[in-house]
Amino acid sequence: MNTAETPAHPRFAEALRTLGLDVEVRRFPDATRTAAQAADAIGCDVAEIVKSLVFVARGIPGAEGAEGTEGTEEGTEDGEPVLVLMDGSSRVDVELVRRELGAAAVRRADADLVRETTGYAIGGVPPFGHRTATRVLADRGLLGHAVVWAAAGTPHTVFPLDPASVIAHAGAKLVDVRERTA
């Protein structure tokens, strides 16, 4: 991949190059900030979209000085950023994330923390290639698809990849954190 010619965000293009991944990055004229917008633009099912969502977990046992938090403001009193990869048709159950991490509390990160942690704006956060090392959880439901589509660093760009590769390149722990419907 020639990173000078890709429509992906430069940081993400560099991550692709470093990982040796040659994927098709598609650019859309209009932003695809939601999973539904991305699915419509691609022509796939909304469940085939990977949502990269940043949460803040407070009180994770052993988080101080844990890998990925040293030297960052995120690993302090406000909590540790955690990226959750979820399919586009599902919602994250924050209580299940809290239990998985053994944290005292978990909340959604605000837009500033998302950009500070990942280097990308909400709607364009890819599953890997972030500014800082971040703990990553991937919901097992992603594995139910042959191919999934994720943001390529901007709200205008996406790329396809098999879900096992997405999870592996993100360094994610496979978990069950999908909100269950009644």
Side-chain angles (χ1 to χ4, degrees):
M1 165 189 281
N2 181 344
T3 57
E5 296 176 16
T6 181
H9 185 285
R11 177 180 292 108
F12 185 70
E14 180 62 22
L16 291 174
R17 188 191 65 71
T18 299
L19 293 168
L21 290 175
D22 186 16
V23 298
E24 170 198 7
V25 175
R26 290 191 192 173
R27 179 171 175 74
F28 300 108
D30 296 320
T32 55
R33 290 188 184 275
T34 69
Q37 289 171 340
D40 286 345
I42 295 163
C44 71
D45 188 82
V46 71
E48 295 172 295
I49 300 298
V50 177
K51 296 190 291 191
S52 297
L53 306 169
V54 180
F55 292 83
V56 178
R58 195 172 39 78
I60 300 174
E64 283 68 40
E67 185 175 334
T69 61
E70 287 182 9
T72 66
E73 299 138 26
E74 296 88 15
T76 64
E77 64 191 71
D78 291 333
E80 176 187 335
V82 176
L83 181 72
V84 177
L85 305 178
M86 178 63 67
D87 77 78
S89 65
S90 299
R91 293 175 51 101
V92 173
D93 185 322
V94 177
E95 176 59 18
L96 291 177
V97 172
R98 187 196 67 72
R99 284 189 217 154
E100 182 64 43
L101 297 169
V106 173
R107 64 174 171 79
R108 285 290 294 264
D110 64 26
D112 290 338
L113 184 59
V114 170
R115 187 179 290 274
E116 181 181 328
T117 301
T118 67
Y120 307 100
I122 290 175
V125 177
F128 50 85
H130 300 163
R131 188 179 73 76
T132 62
T134 306
R135 187 183 307 240
V136 183
L137 303 177
D139 187 77
R140 193 173 310 280
L142 290 171
L143 295 174
H145 308 283
V147 173
V148 292
W149 294 81
T154 77
H156 294 272
T157 56
V158 295
F159 72 100
L161 198 61
D162 68 278
S165 293
V166 169
I167 291 165
H169 290 304
K173 178 181 179 183
L174 201 56
V175 296
D176 292 303
V177 293
R178 169 191 323 259
E179 190 175 86
R180 304 291 178 208
T181 55

